[in-house]
């Protein structure tokens, strides 16, 4: 498998999963940081870096994963459009069979 | 460049908002870890921390709906290439996403409405106790706003899925008819076969338009690679469901 080509085509999915994994690690580390610290000021610092930062990474990763899926759909639709324009046979819907009309 | 800005403003603004959110959250963390006063830290968290998450929500909604809007445009173009009249009234892509974006923005506005008074309350007092209570309400507002934004985006996606189902229904019917007329004694894989292609991450029913122009090979249901998901276009998930039912009955 060509890793560099795979990374080029799947960069959004790879980055998305990477950010989600990193976000999960941040949240877990924040939990341990908060539970180990007796000082409220230090706990708030952990909540900001690990908690809010982790949530940010999870959200950004999920957005990238969704974008990767949308890109896949684009590629699929582009391929269907190319095939249609190349004259691939198309099954006609029953309603249009009753009232045929070329466009 | 101005044309690119005109046509892709939502992508650019969305990614810019996500980038700004990253900067705001990082600077909030620096401020919080550098402060010794809890009331100051709470004020930073309410403004920069939760505010950064609102920016992330806005950016994500813009990026996701921009992708869906482009997909709708592609469906419009694909419908133009079909040799039969459109299956229903056509909606402009901008109109499709506008409503979803407005609802999502209103949801995030609710989050801001919770957030601003909380920040005013927290920053106006040196006592952290009322500040913690106000921060809790700000988080509640953020959760509500995030949920509304997510549901609004999901609504746009569902409209696209339903249009795709309508548009590709003739293929799905042809695939079903083709499977029904296949002779059981035919050579090669059985009539339970699905089609897979090395370029695709999903398996398909015979005749699925997603396979147009690809060299697909048939495999039996039981041999579908675990990594492959069923195709949405030809509703190959029905095959997967049947397969699961059969497996559970057989134990």
């Amino acid at each position: 498998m060509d890793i560099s080509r795979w990374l080029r085509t799947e960069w959004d999915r790879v980055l998305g999963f990477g950010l989600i994994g990193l976000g999960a690690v941040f949240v877990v580390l924040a939990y341990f940081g908060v539970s180990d610290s007796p000082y409220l000021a230090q706990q708030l610092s952990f909540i900001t870096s690990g908690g809010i930062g982790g949530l940010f990474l999870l959200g950004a990763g999920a957005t990238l994963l969704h974008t990767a899926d949308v890109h896949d759909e684009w590629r699929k639709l582009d391929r269907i459009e190319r095939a249609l324009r190349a004259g691939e046979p198309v099954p006609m819907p029953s309603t249009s069979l009753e009232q045929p009309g070329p466009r | 460049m101005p044309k690119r800005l005109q046509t892709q403003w939502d992508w650019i603004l969305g990614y810019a908002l996500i980038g700004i959110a990253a900067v705001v959250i990082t600077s909030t963390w620096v401020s919080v870890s550098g402060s010794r006063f809890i009331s100051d830290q709470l004020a930073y968290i309410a403004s920069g921390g939760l505010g950064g998450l609102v920016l992330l929500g806005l950016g994500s909604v813009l990026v996701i709906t921009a992708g869906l809007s482009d997909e709708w445009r592609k469906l419009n173009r694909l419908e133009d290439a079909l040799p039969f009249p459109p299956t229903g009234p056509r909606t402009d892509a901008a109109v499709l996403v506008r409503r979803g974006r407005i609802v999502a923005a209103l949801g995030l506005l609710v989050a801001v409405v919770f957030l601003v008074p909380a920040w005013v309350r927290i920053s106006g007092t040196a006592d952290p106790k009322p500040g913690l209570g106000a921060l809790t309400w700000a988080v509640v507002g953020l959760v509500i706003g995030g949920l509304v934004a997510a549901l609004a985006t999901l609504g746009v996606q569902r409209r696209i899925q339903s249009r795709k189902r309508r548009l590709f229904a003739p293929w799905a019917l042809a695939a079903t008819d083709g499977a029904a007329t296949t002779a059981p004694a035919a050579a090669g894989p059985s009539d339970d076969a699905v089609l897979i292609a090395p370029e695709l991450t999903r398996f398909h029913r015979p005749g699925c338009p997603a396979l147009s122009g690809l060299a697909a090979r048939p495999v039996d249901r039981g041999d579908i690679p675990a990594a492959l998901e069923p195709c949405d276009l030809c509703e190959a998930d029905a095959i997967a469901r049947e397969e699961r039912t059969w497996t559970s009955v057989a134990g």
Side-chain angles (χ1 to χ4, degrees):
Chain A
M1 182 196 241
D2 187 352
I3 295 284
S4 67
R5 185 171 170 233
W6 179 73
L7 279 177
R8 247 197 335 270
T9 53
E10 298 276 350
W11 68 269
D12 37 13
R13 190 161 279 126
V14 173
L15 189 60
F17 275 120
L19 288 180
I20 286 178
L22 202 63
V25 171
F26 266 50
V27 171
V28 171
L29 287 179
Y31 165 72
F32 282 117
V34 169
S35 59
D36 285 348
S37 171
Y39 307 108
L40 184 56
Q42 202 176 21
Q43 288 176 337
L44 287 174
S45 180
F46 281 125
I47 287 173
T48 311
S49 60
I52 295 178
L55 280 180
F56 170 82
L57 291 175
L58 288 173
T63 304
L64 273 176
L65 279 187
H66 189 278
T67 312
D69 277 351
V70 168
H71 285 164
D72 284 354
E73 289 291 311
W74 289 1
R75 277 191 278 271
K76 203 188 289 179
L77 293 176
D78 283 343
R79 225 175 33 244
I80 296 172
E81 191 190 347
R82 266 199 306 276
L84 280 175
R85 295 200 188 276
E88 286 252 341
V90 178
M92 303 291 276
S94 54
T95 48
S96 62
L97 279 176
E98 289 160 13
Q99 297 172 329
R103 292 166 34 154
Chain B
M1 188 63 182
K3 195 181 174 205
R4 193 185 161 96
L5 267 179
Q6 235 171 22
T7 54
Q8 304 205 324
W9 67 269
D10 36 13
W11 284 103
I12 297 168
L13 184 60
Y15 279 121
L17 283 174
I18 293 175
I20 293 171
V23 173
V24 168
I25 289 173
T26 308
S27 66
T28 302
W29 169 64
V30 172
S31 305
V32 169
S33 58
S35 170
R36 285 177 299 153
F37 304 106
I38 291 165
S39 54
D40 280 354
Q41 288 181 321
L42 290 176
Y44 287 132
I45 290 173
S47 58
L50 301 187
L53 289 181
V54 171
L55 288 177
L56 169 72
L58 272 176
S60 295
V61 166
L62 270 178
V63 168
I64 290 172
T65 51
L68 295 175
S69 158
D70 285 357
E71 193 173 334
W72 188 264
R73 269 187 218 105
K74 279 181 192 292
L75 284 173
N76 279 345
R77 239 182 24 231
L78 205 142
E79 198 172 46
D80 287 338
L82 287 173
F84 44 80
T87 46
R90 177 175 293 194
T91 312
D92 191 46
V95 177
L96 171 85
V97 292
R98 190 179 301 142
R99 197 173 149 212
R101 280 176 180 166
I102 289 173
V103 174
L106 285 176
L108 291 170
L109 192 67
V110 169
V112 174
V113 165
F114 274 80
L115 203 61
V116 172
W119 174 72
V120 170
R121 179 134 196 233
I122 293 165
S123 57
T125 174
D127 183 11
K129 261 196 179 167
L132 281 169
L135 194 67
T136 309
W137 279 109
V139 171
V140 169
L142 193 68
V143 171
I144 293 171
L147 278 176
V148 171
L151 286 175
T153 314
L154 210 63
V156 178
Q157 188 160 14
R158 286 189 68 171
R159 273 198 72 182
I160 291 185
Q161 290 297 343
S162 100
R163 186 181 180 198
K164 272 196 276 194
R165 262 197 290 276
R166 210 174 56 235
L167 203 60
F168 296 118
W171 275 285
L173 285 173
T176 314
D177 293 348
T181 53
T182 307
S190 68
D191 57 354
D192 289 343
V194 295
L195 295 172
I196 62 171
E199 299 92 334
L200 302 180
T201 55
R202 295 168 191 264
F203 62 86
H204 306 263
R205 286 171 182 264
C208 176
L211 295 165
S212 301
L214 290 178
R217 70 179 173 85
V219 292
D220 281 334
R221 283 186 199 190
D223 300 330
I224 300 171
L228 296 187
E229 287 177 23
C231 170
D232 294 330
L233 292 182
C234 59
E235 296 181 341
D237 56 331
I239 295 178
R241 277 199 300 273
E242 285 164 26
E243 179 66 16
R244 264 183 231 121
T245 314
W246 179 82
T247 309
S248 64
V249 168

